Amino acid sequence: MKKLLSICFVVMLALVLAACGSASGTSSGDDGADSSTGSESSESNSEDTGSAEAASDYPEQQVKLVIPYSPGGATDIIFRLVGKYAEEELGATLVPVNMPGASSTTGSREVKNADPDGYTILGSHDVIATAYYSGVVDYSFEAFQPVSLLTQTPNIATVHADTGWENMDDFINYVKENPGEVKWGMTPGGTSHFFVADMLKSAGLSPDDVKLIGYEGTGAAIKAVVAGEIDGTMTNYTSGKGYFDEGTFVSIGVAHDERLAEMPDSPTMIEQGVEFTNATSRGVFVPKDTPEEVVTVLESAFEAALNDPELQAEVAKLGSITRYKDHEEYETFVTELHDRLGELAENMELQ
């Protein structure tokens, strides 16, 4: 009997020890899992810390400024000019890279798909939204993080001197008396297309009252006006200056709230009773999810550049106006612009 009890006691002791070992093993396994999780968390924190440190050290190399137009145009000239002043504040070289094509979306795609590290930025304007409404791309301003509004270039309703029109009244009266005869040049779905749509609406005219002729770019439309192929188109001071000076072109209305210093004799649309303003608003964008620290560094550099009196004078010579907005103000601005262009697009033949 005692021998039997001894055996039972040994068996029970063995079972207890086995259970303890199992419990110990389970505990060890949980510790291992916690340790692994802690390691992953540590790695994640390390990556976050690394990103934060990279942002705080920005910029450590040159920054590519993508301009979605060919060299020599107003957009190219303005961004190169502002970039030259901004890089002094930024402490890094801003390298302009022209990427024209596909209604100015070749360049915007390049930046939209770039790493959000601040080393590939976009210099563009209203065309981001007009390309969307024209069906060229499936994204608008929301695909980017706005950095800063830089300049605005007031646009001008411009006609050939041979038309005999000297102001908006002459133009409006002729259109009403001769519906469908006036030939107006524009880039289909581009800013000049939205310009004429908005101008006609503001002047109380129908889109069908004017025959719209499509051209690939403002430059081509200007040449067509010079050649007498069409009656008018949208220009700005820079693109039309030579023709205004020689008398080939006539400004029938500046789409701004005050006269341009460079064209003091040309009345605004508002002065003539047409409540219409229109400007090409140029600014800087970065890919979505770019660290706020990087955005802040960029906007500070552009703000300092635009506060320079010499740059302001250079921009004014181009018929443009320095108009700085920080990234929050600019985001509100482009959202409102997107909505306003959307309202116009509803009554336009864009596709």
Side-chain angles (χ1 to χ4, degrees), residues 226-269:
V226 173
E229 297 173 7
I230 55 177
D231 300 300
T233 190
M234 179 195 88
T235 68
N236 53 56
Y237 175 72
T238 303
S239 61
K241 182 182 184 304
Y243 300 112
F244 288 126
D245 290 346
E246 68 184 26
T248 303
F249 283 178
V250 173
S251 162
I252 58 174
V254 177
H256 193 47
D257 52 11
E258 59 184 23
R259 295 192 183 194
L260 299 178
E262 295 73 23
M263 301 178 68
D265 297 327
S266 297
T268 67
M269 296 275 190

Side-chain angles (χ1 to χ4, degrees), residues 15 66 89 94 117 140 162 202 211 215 229 239 270 285 302 311:
L15 291 172
V66 175
E89 303 293 336
L94 277 171
D117 54 13
S140 184
D162 288 349
S202 300
K211 186 175 182 180
Y215 292 91
E229 297 173 7
S239 61
I270 295 175
F285 303 83
F302 285 111
L311 175 59

Side-chain angles (χ1 to χ4, degrees), residues 183-200:
K183 297 178 181 178
W184 193 273
M186 55 84 201
T187 299
T191 52
S192 57
H193 191 175
F194 280 80
F195 171 90
V196 66
D198 204 357
M199 181 181 75
L200 294 174

Side-chain angles (χ1 to χ4, degrees), residues 106-333:
T106 298
S108 66
R109 285 181 187 276
E110 172 77 10
V111 178
K112 184 176 78 73
N113 297 328
D115 291 335
D117 54 13
Y119 290 104
T120 304
I121 67 177
L122 174 69
S124 193
H125 55 64
D126 317 53
V127 72
I128 294 175
T130 61
Y132 167 78
Y133 285 117
S134 302
V136 179
V137 290
D138 59 0
Y139 60 85
S140 184
F141 294 116
E142 83 289 338
F144 304 91
Q145 169 59 57
V147 175
S148 304
L149 174 65
L150 304 182
T151 68
Q152 290 187 303
T153 303
N155 292 312
I156 304 169
T158 303
V159 299
H160 196 289
D162 288 349
T163 62
W165 309 327
E166 296 182 356
N167 50 49
M168 282 300 292
D169 279 344
D170 291 344
F171 171 77
I172 292 170
N173 291 334
Y174 187 90
V175 171
K176 287 182 176 179
E177 294 170 4
N178 305 275
E181 285 191 16
V182 173
K183 297 178 181 178
W184 193 273
M186 55 84 201
T187 299
T191 52
S192 57
H193 191 175
F194 280 80
F195 171 90
V196 66
D198 204 357
M199 181 181 75
L200 294 174
K201 178 182 177 182
S202 300
L205 299 172
S206 166
D208 298 328
D209 290 339
V210 172
K211 186 175 182 180
L212 300 182
I213 310 295
Y215 292 91
E216 186 59 41
T218 303
I222 288 175
K223 290 180 180 178
V225 177
V226 173
E229 297 173 7
I230 55 177
D231 300 300
T233 190
M234 179 195 88
T235 68
N236 53 56
Y237 175 72
T238 303
S239 61
K241 182 182 184 304
Y243 300 112
F244 288 126
D245 290 346
E246 68 184 26
T248 303
F249 283 178
V250 173
S251 162
I252 58 174
V254 177
H256 193 47
D257 52 11
E258 59 184 23
R259 295 192 183 194
L260 299 178
E262 295 73 23
M263 301 178 68
D265 297 327
S266 297
T268 67
M269 296 275 190
I270 295 175
E271 286 181 79
Q272 301 179 71
V274 179
E275 294 295 323
F276 173 55
T277 60
N278 185 282
T280 301
S281 301
R282 296 180 173 88
V284 177
F285 303 83
V286 292
K288 208 74 175 173
D289 299 324
T290 298
E292 187 171 355
E293 297 91 339
V294 170
V295 174
T296 301
V297 170
L298 284 168
E299 71 177 2
S300 296
F302 285 111
E303 180 181 18
L306 293 175
N307 284 332
D308 190 314
E310 291 185 4
L311 175 59
Q312 293 174 1
E314 291 289 335
V315 170
K317 290 178 183 177
L318 299 172
S320 297
I321 304 159
T322 54
R323 189 64 56 86
Y324 173 78
K325 290 184 183 293
D326 65 25
H327 73 277
E328 292 182 348
E329 296 170 323
Y330 193 26
E331 187 158 13
T332 299
F333 178 89

